[in-house]
Amino acid sequence: LLAAPVDAAARALLGTLLVVDGDGPGRRRRVGRIVEVEAYSGQDDAASHARFGRTARNGVMFGPPGLAYVYLVYGMHECLNVVCDADGRAAAVLVRAVEPIEGAAEMRTARLAVAGRRARSAETLARAERRIAALPDARLASGPGLVTAAFGIDRTLTGADLLDPAAGLRLEHGDPPAEVMTTPRVGIDYASEPSRSRTWRFLDLASPSISIRPASPRR
DNA sequence: GCAAAGATTTGCT
DNA sequence: GCAAATCTTTGCC
């Protein structure tokens, strides 16, 4: 399924469950439904990390489907990708938003921990804590950087097999959305045409957890 | 070696 | 609505 061309694989990932096992009192089980993704391809895609060919960072994108590719953007946010397409072909699907199903309290705790690490002053920390405490469960993982914050995912997981039923972070089967909307990808204005306009963002408009971005529909 | 820019989020004007 | 925060990656000299 994930071995398909990356746009088809991205569609197929919508509705799939993202699962983090609990391994103690400090890290409890979390489950969410993937409701927004973007497809990225190889050298034919001017928006992809693989557009310059194979490098130290993107190497895993050339590997077999189902591996995790986690990278740091803007020096502060980690983003989770699922490697797709056949082994040897660079492709990955960015997980942009997840709808919490189980363990929302744990996700909120994880969000607070990230905010605590980042805050530069007591005032901004208090403000951030109030903001996160007031978030509806559905908004805890409604952005690529928020998915990793809520699920406790970082770059050390790059290369992990998300299809392994025994993995601490894994994908599990979930029901696909009734209707899928497509738009151009977000935040890739640096890319040339036709890559920039390619409609490789896929979302479940019925979900309350999709990200709110300039290129996304309003709710 | 160096400089530039980034698959984002948050807070303030 | 705009710009800062923050650090890694990558192209190029």
Side-chain angles (χ1 to χ4, degrees):
Chain A
L1 200 59
L2 299 185
V6 69
D7 52 330
R11 273 182 188 275
L13 275 169
L14 284 181
T16 299
L17 302 182
L18 184 67
V19 180
V20 169
D21 273 336
D23 55 6
R27 186 180 176 87
R28 289 214 302 267
R29 178 177 157 88
R30 279 160 275 189
V31 180
R33 189 171 157 273
I34 297 174
V35 294
E36 178 179 336
V37 295
E38 280 175 0
Y40 289 88
S41 185
Q43 286 179 273
D44 56 323
D45 183 358
S48 172
H49 284 174
R51 64 189 179 280
F52 301 120
R54 189 173 194 141
T55 64
R57 177 175 65 163
N58 68 24
V60 72
M61 285 182 71
F62 292 77
L67 301 186
Y69 168 42
V70 186
Y71 66 88
L72 184 72
V73 266
Y74 299 108
M76 41 175 58
H77 306 290
E78 321 244 7
C79 293
L80 170 68
N81 293 256
V82 180
V83 173
C84 291
D85 209 328
D87 193 359
R89 293 178 56 89
V93 172
L94 172 68
V95 178
R96 285 192 57 89
V98 167
E99 183 174 326
I101 292 199
E102 189 184 328
E106 192 70 7
M107 297 180 198
R108 198 179 302 271
T109 300
R111 287 285 309 274
L112 287 166
V114 171
R117 250 181 283 135
R118 290 211 247 268
R120 299 279 298 127
S121 76
E123 292 80 21
T124 58
L125 174 58
R127 190 163 313 202
E129 285 176 339
R130 280 195 300 273
R131 186 179 56 75
I132 293 171
L135 283 177
D137 287 356
R139 307 302 303 171
L140 287 171
S142 56
L146 305 180
V147 169
T148 55
F151 281 77
I153 296 165
D154 62 42
R155 282 167 290 169
T156 64
L157 284 163
T158 292
D161 183 4
L162 300 175
L163 301 181
D164 179 355
L169 174 71
R170 63 180 180 276
L171 298 172
E172 289 185 6
H173 178 268
D175 295 326
E179 195 177 356
V180 174
M181 176 169 201
T182 65
T183 78
R185 293 169 290 182
V186 175
I188 56 150
D189 287 348
Y190 58 86
S192 57
E193 296 291 0
S195 295
R196 184 168 51 179
S197 298
R198 200 171 278 165
T199 54
W200 271 10
R201 177 177 180 230
F202 304 90
L203 23 83
D204 175 5
L205 262 198
S207 171
S209 302
I210 56 178
S211 70
I212 307 293
R213 308 255 80 193
S216 74
R218 280 199 230 209
R219 299 188 44 80

